[in-house]
Amino acid sequence: MDQNSKTQSDRQAGAEAISAKAVVIGRENGIEISKCVWDLGKDFSLQHAHQLELSTETKTVRLYFPDVELTSTDSGSRTRRTEERLRSAIAQLLSRPPAATYAF
C-alpha cells in the first residue's frame, strides 16, 4: 500500500469515527441523526478541507474539519476540540420553541 492510499484510508477511518461520535452525542441529547454526509476535500492545506453535514428529519448543520483532525487520532487536545465542535453543532439541531419576545 503506497503512502497516498494509506493516508486516504486513515482519512476515511477518521471521518467514520467522527460520524460515529456525532451519532452518540446526538443520542445523549435526544436527537436522532438520520444522515452523516462527508465531502472529503482534495486541497488538504486548507483549514476547512473536509465538510460534514449532520441531518435530522427537519434540520441540517454543516461542520468543517482540517485534514489533521481526520488523519490523526492520538492527540487528546485534538480529540477534545473535535468533540466540542460536534457538541456545538448538535446543539443547533435541537428543536426549541421560540422564546417570547415580550411579556405582559
Side-chain angles (χ1 to χ4, degrees):
M1 178 183 289
D2 67 6
Q3 183 64 25
N4 191 27
S5 295
K6 179 169 179 1
T7 302
Q8 185 63 30
S9 177
D10 290 348
R11 193 173 290 119
Q12 186 64 40
E16 289 171 5
I18 291 171
S19 294
K21 185 65 175 176
V23 169
V24 169
I25 293 171
R27 286 188 184 137
E28 289 172 357
N29 289 283
I31 297 172
E32 190 63 37
I33 296 176
S34 58
K35 286 193 289 186
C36 296
V37 179
W38 280 95
D39 177 5
L40 298 177
K42 303 292 185 222
D43 186 357
F44 307 127
S45 64
L46 294 176
Q47 174 63 23
H48 305 294
H50 310 294
Q51 173 185 303
L52 169 62
E53 285 188 0
L54 300 174
S55 299
T56 64
E57 293 299 319
T58 59
K59 292 183 179 181
T60 299
V61 66
R62 185 175 296 151
L63 298 93
Y64 296 92
F65 294 90
D67 196 56
V68 69
E69 285 191 46
L70 271 66
T71 57
S72 61
T73 58
D74 295 336
S75 172
S77 63
R78 191 170 297 123
T79 300
R80 283 190 301 277
R81 188 171 46 247
T82 299
E83 187 171 323
E84 288 170 4
R85 187 176 306 143
L86 289 171
R87 288 187 184 284
S88 176
I90 289 168
Q92 294 176 41
L93 294 172
L94 289 169
S95 294
R96 293 186 188 101
T101 56
Y102 58 89
F104 291 101

